Amino acid sequence: MSTNKIALVTGGSRGLGKNMALSLAKKGINVILTYHSQQAEAEGVVAEITAQGQQAVALQLDAANVQGFDAFFEQVKAALRNTFDTDKFDFLINNAGTALYALFADTTETQFDEMMNIHVKGPFFLTQKALPLLNDEGRIINISSGLARFANPGSSAYASMKGAIEVLTRYQAKELGARGIAANVVAPGAIETDFGGGRVRDNKEINEHLAGVTALGRVGLPDDIGGVVAFLCSEDARWVNAQRLEASGGMFL
Ligand code: NDP
């Protein structure tokens, strides 16, 4: 059942973003997904979505480089015109991100700036520049982290940025409500992806530790997250606004 709606998912080539793209397509939503360097992975996701009967396009984006956003949105406009025969899209999912594990005392200014650029400044201006292309009644979903609620040593810079995106989400909801646009946060707990060199998935000790502090007794899988984002893009979620939805199996309760 196709809805003719279109979602733009940043970092849709792998991990959580890939699962979000596939889950959105399952709900009949077409997808523009972005990749940073893994074009072949992204084209694989496009092929899976196309096989599900939805339309999809993959575009390159450095979500940390605001200077590149105008050129990126020219590509989005072309994709909207050429592939979807429209000039607007409906859902923006700010998901692209990279990890940093460094104690507060050791975090360098360069590391801090990297985290700031990809997790705060990038989504801030990407969303601002997306506004003319976003349909009224559209939705913005910002991906945060359980680490913005609980403190685990080694994540002070990363988690501070995720905290910032949560505050920004409330301002977006307040200021864009007049256009019927809702903004919400999805905050995953620890999930088995390539993130941080795949440490949650591949390091047995870390995996077992995190499972042990999770009420449901295991770490998360990408499939635990994509459907939550797809739900927030569904008609059933139309009255959910300015909320933080943590999907962590109940970590550190
Ligand atoms: P992955 O490392 O599996 O995937 C990262 C994705 O982001 C890829 O699609 C990658 O593209 C893209 N990406 C990386 N750098 C850039 C960049 N500079 N510009 C644009 N795109 C980029 O990570 P996850 O799927 O696990 O993480 C997705 C989001 O979820 C992040 O925001 C992360 O902070 C958050 N999160 C993750 C958790 C986890 O445990 N996994 C827990 C809580 C939150 P490419 O394939 O081309 O490299």
Side-chain angles (χ1 to χ4, degrees):
M1 182 201 54
S2 187
T3 62
N4 286 328
K5 304 266 190 203
I6 302 166
L8 171 55
V9 182
T10 68
S13 45
R14 291 182 287 128
L16 304 186
K18 173 181 177 178
N19 196 271
M20 292 167 198
L22 294 172
S23 301
L24 288 159
K26 257 187 228 146
K27 283 206 181 286
I29 295 167
N30 297 316
V31 183
I32 300 173
L33 59 100
T34 78
Y35 61 93
H36 184 224
S37 56
Q38 306 286 318
Q39 182 173 10
E41 299 276 339
E43 295 299 347
V45 181
V46 168
E48 275 192 64
I49 292 174
T50 310
Q52 286 182 27
Q54 292 303 133
Q55 289 172 297
V57 172
L59 299 177
Q60 201 277 337
L61 170 72
D62 181 352
N65 178 22
V66 176
Q67 300 306 317
F69 289 178
D70 287 338
F72 170 70
F73 278 113
E74 287 308 313
Q75 283 189 282
V76 171
K77 278 186 205 164
L80 288 171
R81 220 175 20 243
N82 299 336
T83 305
F84 304 101
D85 197 23
T86 183
D87 54 3
K88 300 241 169 104
F89 66 97
D90 301 281
F91 311 120
L92 174 60
I93 324 300
N94 283 304
N95 162 76
T98 52
L100 169 67
Y101 303 102
L103 290 173
F104 170 69
D106 302 331
T107 302
T108 65
E109 185 179 356
T110 302
Q111 289 174 323
F112 181 96
D113 287 344
E114 279 170 10
M115 289 293 102
M116 172 67 99
N117 286 337
I118 191 149
H119 291 293
V120 183
K121 190 174 173 187
F124 189 105
F125 288 103
L126 194 80
T127 305
Q128 185 190 76
K129 286 176 184 290
L131 290 178
L133 299 184
L134 197 59
N135 272 318
D136 289 355
E137 321 297 331
R139 315 246 170 100
I140 297 163
I141 297 167
N142 293 319
I143 304 306
S144 178
S145 166
L147 289 163
R149 174 176 63 81
F150 48 78
N152 217 21
S155 290
S156 62
Y158 170 80
S160 296
M161 305 311 165
K162 293 300 198 185
I165 201 80
E166 295 192 4
V167 174
L168 173 63
T169 305
R170 289 195 288 277
Y171 277 82
Q172 290 171 332
K174 186 80 173 174
E175 295 191 17
L176 302 176
R179 286 182 53 190
I181 295 172
N184 289 291
V185 167
V186 171
I191 316 286
E192 292 188 5
T193 68
D194 296 339
F195 197 68
R199 75 207 290 263
V200 171
R201 181 191 55 216
D202 301 336
N203 184 315
K204 197 166 180 286
E205 205 176 309
I206 291 176
N207 187 294
E208 281 174 3
H209 166 70
L210 293 170
V213 297
T214 302
L216 292 180
R218 62 169 174 84
V219 300
L221 300 169
D223 224 17
D224 295 320
I225 303 302
V228 178
V229 170
F231 161 70
L232 286 174
C233 293
S234 72
E235 185 53 22
D236 283 345
R238 65 185 171 273
W239 207 234
V240 181
N241 195 14
Q243 297 306 300
R244 174 188 191 273
L245 211 173
E246 186 173 306
S248 70
M251 284 185 77
F252 292 111
L253 298 179

